[in-house]
Amino acid sequence: MRSFIALLAPVLAAANPIGIVGNGDTPQPDEITIVSASASGNGCPQGTVTTDLSPDRKIITFGFDAFQVYTGPGTTPADKSKNCQLHLNLKYPGGFQFAVVESTYHGYAQLETGVTGTFYSTYYFSQDAAATTTTRTSIDGGGLWADGDVYTKQDQVPTASIIWSPCGATGILNVNNRIALTSSNSSASGQISDDDATVAFTQQVHVSWQACK
């Protein structure tokens, strides 16, 4: 998609945590803290998500054990689409706003020819849920994906569609992630799942700033 910078390719690098950073003439990054975090959705039921919050409350890592979809003989429609929404309760300086600029996801895909996997990510703040930005990246099955490989999905939200946090001292950032499989061949199989060895679908988020008006 031309409106986003989206890269989907096999990688062997370790997964990255969520990090909060500032750019340009901004408040010091150490003024931002993650108060709490949680996850909800049929792709991350209770007991299947791990979070690791750093002692200074500035970096958080999510790990997923059940965020996976399947298609092929013997599967049901419910197996083909799952979502997991991340909720980050953030505390930041008054007088400024911040926006999600980039995010990175890692996972594992095995898709036969005719199967397509699509990864959607929607960003919004609870205080302004109508203002959202959604990115979408797809993998077409066959080739190296027929045997399975690790992938990375990278998004860059366009400046014109950046979702700014509300003015004030706190804000809840939501990232609604959905993975789905479609197939033009009813006998073809496919799956997208996390890989515990590479901490699948972990995510790194960078933020930029603008003055609060």
Side-chain angles (χ1 to χ4, degrees):
M1 297 179 63
R2 295 298 181 186
S3 58
F4 304 100
I5 296 176
L7 172 64
L8 190 56
V11 296
L12 299 177
N16 296 316
I18 286 181
I20 305 298
V21 299
N23 293 322
D25 185 14
T26 70
Q28 293 299 311
D30 60 7
E31 297 180 35
I32 311 163
T33 58
I34 302 169
V35 178
S36 62
S38 61
S40 62
N42 60 2
C44 48
Q46 186 174 2
T48 67
V49 179
T50 60
T51 58
D52 183 11
L53 183 60
S54 63
D56 60 5
R57 311 189 74 84
K58 295 179 179 58
I59 299 174
I60 188 167
T61 302
F62 288 87
F64 305 98
D65 291 334
F67 196 12
Q68 51 199 253
V69 292
Y70 304 90
T71 190
T75 60
T76 68
D79 295 327
K80 300 176 182 180
S81 179
K82 296 289 176 66
N83 87 290
C84 180
Q85 185 163 215
L86 309 180
H87 314 279
L88 278 68
N89 185 10
L90 307 177
K91 182 178 181 181
Y92 51 90
F96 283 83
Q97 296 177 294
F98 66 93
V100 174
V101 174
E102 297 177 355
S103 59
T104 303
Y105 307 82
H106 301 86
Y108 182 83
Q110 184 176 16
L111 306 170
E112 294 181 353
T113 301
V115 178
T116 298
T118 304
F119 194 132
Y120 305 86
S121 301
T122 298
Y123 304 85
Y124 68 96
F125 285 87
S126 293
Q127 292 85 343
D128 190 9
T132 66
T133 290
T134 299
T135 65
R136 181 180 69 179
T137 303
S138 296
I139 311 171
D140 292 324
L144 66 88
W145 300 111
D147 295 325
D149 214 325
V150 177
Y151 70 83
T152 293
K153 172 181 181 286
Q154 295 178 328
D155 299 330
Q156 186 174 61
V157 178
T159 301
S161 300
I162 282 178
I163 303 303
W164 295 105
S165 73
C167 298
T170 61
I172 300 175
L173 171 64
N174 303 282
V175 184
N176 189 14
N177 297 310
R178 183 167 72 91
I179 50 177
L181 294 173
T182 58
S183 179
S184 60
N185 182 351
S186 60
S187 64
S189 297
Q191 64 170 309
I192 300 180
S193 65
D194 66 357
D195 185 336
D196 291 340
T198 59
V199 192
F201 296 113
T202 59
Q203 177 177 354
Q204 181 177 353
V205 176
H206 305 277
V207 296
S208 64
W209 298 82
Q210 70 172 2
C212 190
K213 299 177 181 180

